[in-house]
Amino acid sequence: MPECHSTNDLAAQIVRQPSTNEGTVVITDKQTMGRGQRGNYWRTEPGKNLTFSVVLKPAFVEPKNQFLLTMVISLAVHDLIQSGLNCAAFIKWPNDIMIERKKVCGILIENQLKGNEITHSIAGIGLNVNQKHFEFPSATSLAQVLNKQFYLPSLVDDLLENIEARYLMLRSGKFTELKAAYVSVLYWKGEPHTFSIQGLTLKGIISGVDAAGKLLIDFGERERAFDIKEVEYLE
């Protein structure tokens, strides 16, 4: 689409049609109301970044294991940057991609459940590529970090190949391998940092994620698990 409000919203409409195949991609040069985690909006300059959504039909994944889909998409973007572009990157739980302590990519995964089955999943990706100026100082782009411009069609092809490779790992039941890969590149893992939790400022060390995908932080006296709205990274 030359322009649309949200590729996730458009993909959600398209997937209702029985003829929509798994792997369908909705991509746009200009997304006017891109959505992110916690109700935030994802704003990008038209024609300079990758903003797209992928339709998945992971009926083989039990709802209790749906965080594995977050791991798949996050790792695919990480693979592109770390292995494909030889640039150090980390996954800030649950699915922001960080380079040099700044956010380069946001991911929004929306799962549709029916009974004990995930009927479809929409994986939205916003990757900052050639944009140089940002509204927030906490954002960056591949062009800023690597000091070069990228050809977007080639980059999206590479990223989609990575998504397919990680998704096929999931389909093959390689849950342990996916989790190990995800935890190994977690932002701030194994380092003492400060977090805001229920209005309190606490120092702890990220140790990984539990079976449900909650963030595990070790505070010395005990390890606690947190959902997405329960913890905020400070410094």
Side-chain angles (χ1 to χ4, degrees), residues 60-189:
F60 56 91
V61 176
E62 295 182 52
K64 67 178 182 179
N65 293 324
Q66 59 186 290
F67 191 78
L68 286 164
L69 293 165
T70 295
M71 293 183 182
V72 163
I73 303 301
S74 301
L75 283 169
V77 179
H78 181 272
D79 293 342
L80 174 76
I81 298 171
Q82 182 101 7
S83 302
L85 303 179
N86 195 30
C87 177
F90 296 91
I91 300 172
K92 182 180 178 182
W93 176 88
N95 52 17
D96 285 344
I97 310 301
M98 310 293 288
I99 301 177
E100 297 177 351
R101 300 178 66 87
K102 293 187 176 183
K103 182 176 175 177
V104 72
C105 179
I107 296 168
L108 179 64
I109 299 177
E110 298 177 300
N111 299 320
Q112 182 65 46
L113 307 181
K114 185 177 181 180
N116 197 37
E117 181 179 289
I118 303 174
T119 58
H120 67 261
S121 179
I122 308 295
I125 297 172
L127 176 62
N128 294 334
V129 182
N130 292 324
Q131 184 171 333
K132 287 291 188 75
H133 304 286
F134 295 94
E135 181 181 351
F136 302 104
S138 57
T140 191
S141 69
L142 298 179
Q144 271 193 338
V145 174
L146 298 173
N147 197 29
K148 62 179 286 189
Q149 293 289 299
F150 292 87
Y151 181 56
L152 296 181
S154 176
L155 201 66
V156 76
D157 284 348
D158 292 342
L159 181 48
L160 289 171
E161 286 186 9
N162 289 342
I163 291 173
E164 182 177 41
R166 288 294 186 179
Y167 189 67
L168 289 176
M169 285 183 66
L170 179 63
R171 187 181 284 276
S172 299
K174 297 180 179 179
F175 299 172
T176 303
E177 292 91 331
L178 284 169
K179 183 177 180 180
Y182 177 86
V183 170
S184 72
V185 295
L186 268 181
Y187 186 61
W188 285 6
K189 179 180 178 288

Side-chain angles (χ1 to χ4, degrees), residues 7-79:
T7 57
N8 260 38
D9 289 348
L10 189 53
Q13 294 175 22
I14 292 173
V15 78
R16 297 191 190 108
Q17 304 170 11
S19 59
T20 302
N21 293 321
E22 181 173 49
T24 295
V25 176
V26 177
I27 188 166
T28 186
D29 283 333
K30 184 178 181 181
Q31 184 172 237
T32 57
M33 294 289 285
R35 293 183 290 109
Q37 294 284 357
R38 305 175 193 244
N40 295 326
Y41 287 103
W42 184 261
R43 300 177 180 88
T44 59
E45 289 184 23
K48 294 189 176 182
N49 308 293
L50 292 183
T51 46
F52 68 95
S53 299
V54 181
V55 173
L56 302 174
K57 298 185 178 181
F60 56 91
V61 176
E62 295 182 52
K64 67 178 182 179
N65 293 324
Q66 59 186 290
F67 191 78
L68 286 164
L69 293 165
T70 295
M71 293 183 182
V72 163
I73 303 301
S74 301
L75 283 169
V77 179
H78 181 272
D79 293 342

Side-chain angles (χ1 to χ4, degrees), residues 176-213:
T176 303
E177 292 91 331
L178 284 169
K179 183 177 180 180
Y182 177 86
V183 170
S184 72
V185 295
L186 268 181
Y187 186 61
W188 285 6
K189 179 180 178 288
E191 305 171 2
H193 284 282
T194 306
F195 304 87
S196 175
I197 298 165
Q198 296 178 335
L200 299 176
T201 300
L202 300 174
K203 287 190 176 181
I205 298 175
I206 292 175
S207 55
V209 294
D210 68 9

